[in-house]
Amino acid sequence: MAWEQEELFLPDPGGPGGPAHEEPITGPLMGMLRTVQELERLAQAARDCPPEHSALALVDGSLVLWGLSGQGFRPFVRDAIIRDSLLVALDRIQELAQSRQLPLEAYVSLPRSAEVVNAVRLGLCPHASRYAANPAETAGRCKTRATWPTGFWTGTCSRRR
């Protein structure tokens, strides 16, 4: 989140400053920066996950920042987002994956869809799909949940197999 006026603009590190040498963070640029910040936080969460636990680095949205293609942004904007942020976060995740299984997955779905959440529930409990139409019943029978702020999914199946 940006709290100060200067945080609302992406400065050109090679320019003297001022409006001609900065890009306002609005619209698509804000969305791309949010995506990169989410990846940075994902890398941190993956690092904080105990190595004995299975982990999946899951991104809501594409890993391809299509808004940076073409001539829409000046080179310093592309450098700041891709070279200085996106690739750094992806390198951190790749580094973690060298010492443990840590797949990085991205998905694009319709707003407010529950396919991924239901897939995670099914992975934790084979009975979850039976109750997917009624999430309240699923929660009552299978104790799957996400813990916050870490976002690690934990759970056990309370039904007898």
Side-chain angles (χ1 to χ4, degrees):
M1 295 180 79
W3 297 101
E4 303 295 330
Q5 182 68 23
E6 60 270 7
E7 293 176 303
L8 300 175
F9 296 90
L10 192 61
D12 181 353
H21 298 281
E22 60 189 15
E23 188 74 31
I25 300 174
T26 61
L29 181 57
M30 184 180 295
M32 288 181 279
L33 287 170
R34 187 207 70 233
T35 297
V36 170
Q37 288 175 348
E38 287 173 357
L39 281 167
E40 291 168 344
R41 177 61 182 105
L42 182 62
Q44 181 183 358
R47 187 193 72 232
D48 294 343
C49 182
E52 64 273 8
H53 289 138
S54 297
L56 168 66
L58 191 60
V59 177
D60 181 7
S62 177
L63 291 173
V64 179
L65 302 179
W66 292 110
L68 289 175
S69 64
Q71 302 299 319
F73 291 103
R74 294 178 277 179
F76 79 88
V77 173
R78 288 192 298 273
D79 288 346
I81 293 175
I82 295 176
R83 185 191 64 210
D84 302 337
S85 299
L86 176 67
L87 292 179
V88 172
L90 292 174
D91 285 345
R92 286 185 187 138
I93 293 171
Q94 182 181 22
E95 184 179 309
L96 289 166
Q98 300 301 316
S99 61
R100 62 184 295 178
Q101 271 195 323
L102 181 64
L104 173 62
E105 301 285 333
Y107 67 95
V108 178
S109 62
L110 296 173
R112 299 189 168 277
S113 64
E115 291 94 359
V116 174
V117 171
N118 287 336
V120 171
R121 284 187 180 135
L122 182 60
L124 291 172
C125 172
H127 308 289
S129 63
R130 181 173 169 205
Y131 305 104
N134 185 349
E137 190 174 348
T138 301
R141 295 188 185 247
C142 301
K143 309 264 188 264
T144 57
R145 62 183 171 79
T147 58
W148 183 256
T150 60
F152 300 133
W153 280 90
T154 61
T156 57
C157 177
S158 59
R159 291 181 49 104
R160 298 204 187 269
R161 293 190 163 103

